[in-house]
Amino acid sequence: MTDDRAGFGSRLRAYRRSAGLSQEELAAKSGLSVRAISYLEQGRTRRPYQDSLRRLADALELRDSARGEFIAAAGQRWTDGVPEPGGPPAQGTARAAVQPAADVRAPDRGAKVIPRQLPAAPRRFSGRAAELAALNALLEEAQAATRTVVISAISGTAGVGKTALAVHWAYRVAQRFPGGQLYVNLRGYDPGAPVPAEEALAGFLRALGVPDRDIPADPDERASRYRSLLAGRRILVVLDNAWSADQVRPLLPGAAGCLAVVTSRDALAGLIARDGAERLDLDLLPRADAVSLLRSLIGSRADADSKAVAALAAQCARLPLALRIAAELATARPAISLAELVRELADEQERLDLLEAAGDSHTAVRAVFSWSYQNLSQPAARLFRLLGLHPGPDITIRAAASLAASPPGQARRLVAELVRANLLTEQAPGRFGCHDLLRAYAVELAATTWSRPLRQAAQGRLLDHYLHAAADADRLLHPLRQPITLVPRRQGVSRESLANHDQALAWLDAEHRSLIAAVKLAADHDFDIHAWQLAYCLETYFHRRSRWHDWADTQQIALAAASRLGDPDGQTLAHCGVANAQIQAGHPEEAHSQLAAALRLRENAGDILGQARVHLYTAQAMEYQGRYRDALASSRRCLQLAQAAGPQAQPLVAEALNQVGWYLALLGRYREGLGQCQQAVALSQQLGHKHIQPVALDSLAYVYQHLGRYGEAADCYRRAVELLEDLGDRWRKAQTLGYAGDAHSADGNVPAARQAWTEALEILDDLNHPDAEPLRAKLGLASVPRPG
């Protein structure tokens, strides 16, 4: 690649800033995604499409020489799409020269994804007529679109029923929001850290159909993309259990007709003053409503002793959470009169009052918790205490079994007992959690009833469970990844049942917050081996889901843990992990110090294969910086070391051959790169390495295309597509189909080109991916002259 192209990203950024445009604004004007523009400016895009260059030049209003210099800076030889005579064929020839036949119609754009994220509706909701009426009035305002967005801030004490009110009302009005319903529990008052706004935004973008690879790394760009997707749609957004206005603000829609409902123990004064939120204070249930809720939950027994029911409602402080737990305990003990249950609870409250010398605003609800807990079977009570040691928001049956060192069948029965007692809820199929007040109560019990050795033994079992399950999932996602020797599982640890790639990915999606919390738990409680090994096992997942910050954060914890252990292997892997996360997040310059430290460790250990891997990572960092000559030198050093490391290094030899060939091609040295790419393809096929083969075939196709051998390029792309189909990588499949179409069209095979582009477009539409637009525009053109 020429030096001009290496500077294309900085030139694009300068033109954009000169035009006074943000990345989001340039994306809107050009029809490209914000991510695509971000990658171009960072130098991360290997080969910008000619269509993309033309759209950017139009959006920036570049004319004449400025336009030509802009396109030339990307390494293209174009004058508005016509190849210069005598110039070498370049990627994008097809996009400039090919016009589809008039009788072929592009497929319709796929329907927008309609999110349905509301949790289960509360059982037997009672009262709150005035509050429901207030929410209905806000809805009418939102539907009339009298201002940009309508926000309701529901505040009140813990356990007063804020979530129940918001979710109950959301179900009642769901049909008024045809665009769907978004929901997130921000966990503002959980024992662990609240959900960061950028993580909640990523979840919303996924729910709206944005593929992980297209979710911006920058939080502000995530918020802009989110609001753009909501524009013109009527969507209800429920932001539950918020910690502060700052946590909520990035999640607010910007579109007229949308409505946001926020619940919090905080009054959220900033949201009301600055964002125009309508405040709705939720007080204790009125006496009549509290009694009514108890009657509906207890059933006919309540009719026989209305005085006891009223007393029970008072003892529960008219808090819905306490009322539901008390009602369940009454139902579970039918042989005891309600009056006797009231006396028992009074005794428990008196005991707690004596223990709480300073007083406690939640004595009533704690009394109900204690009363219910003491009526559990001993094994269920033990499991509830153990759940106080769990660091994540929810838990599976097998994780609970590992924590308790019990068989999964027994754990399932104990969890069911806790669910019946309303001490746990099934928040999603197979996943159980509880209200943050109950979490705090379980943490308190664990701290006061278990000795430190017993707590550590249980934590060790839980960490063994997560480590081995994450390692199993990682092998399913990336079978040829460098293995590590895991800490052996303790007795009593159950394994998750993960059979294939999709199950592994789904498990990691559901568990990622618990797994991140487990890494931190391990580092904080003298489980340093678990800390670095679990972080290592999460890297493939973080890469697949574009969770760059989680990747970097957990690897920093891993590095500190491995350093405390004095483990050079763990330190090396963590240094490389931090570096790779920084590269993917668009900060390759920050990765070099980490890679230099990793290389010193491998040199000190005399580990030739480890040194080769570090050189490969270094080459990738240099590529993202546009330093292609330096990247070529580093990849050649990797190849030299890998070839000297013996037969076990053959997969790395294939990767290094591909990288050498790719960097030669980026430098315009296509004939030199051809042999290297051909060797990479042959070796990866010989090894049966399905993860290297499509990448090597892509590089070889790129070289063929620049040598004018379009038929061979198209064949390579098609072979890569077949492999990506087997791997289930739909986004890369669509991308490669697009390249295949370009090669076919440059070869004059218009039907094959259109078929490839159409297949790519169908996938991108299904993924709701903005990169579908250039293909759609291409397929909408009229005629196809053969090049030359």
Side-chain angles (χ1 to χ4, degrees), residues 272-351:
I272 293 161
R274 176 174 159 185
D275 301 279
E278 298 289 341
R279 182 168 176 170
L280 181 59
D281 291 322
L282 204 60
D283 203 347
L284 303 175
L285 276 174
R287 179 183 176 280
D289 288 343
V291 170
S292 176
L293 179 59
L294 277 177
R295 286 181 181 279
S296 69
L297 292 169
I298 295 173
S300 59
R301 284 176 68 205
D303 298 331
D305 195 344
S306 58
K307 185 177 179 180
V309 172
L312 189 57
Q315 287 175 312
C316 293
R318 292 179 282 134
L319 281 168
L321 175 64
L323 291 165
R324 290 180 180 277
I325 293 173
E328 183 57 43
L329 184 56
T331 303
R333 301 173 69 190
I336 299 177
S337 70
L338 291 180
E340 179 60 29
L341 292 173
V342 167
R343 283 191 290 274
E344 281 188 17
L345 181 52
D347 291 342
E348 184 61 27
Q349 286 175 327
E350 182 179 358
R351 185 183 69 82

Side-chain angles (χ1 to χ4, degrees), residues 326-383:
E328 183 57 43
L329 184 56
T331 303
R333 301 173 69 190
I336 299 177
S337 70
L338 291 180
E340 179 60 29
L341 292 173
V342 167
R343 283 191 290 274
E344 281 188 17
L345 181 52
D347 291 342
E348 184 61 27
Q349 286 175 327
E350 182 179 358
R351 185 183 69 82
L352 283 176
D353 285 338
L354 293 173
L355 291 174
E356 295 290 338
D360 182 351
S361 61
H362 289 108
T363 295
V365 73
R366 289 181 71 253
V368 176
F369 293 168
S370 176
W371 183 43
S372 183
Y373 163 73
Q374 291 181 42
N375 279 278
L376 294 170
S377 67
Q378 287 189 4
R382 174 178 177 270
L383 177 58

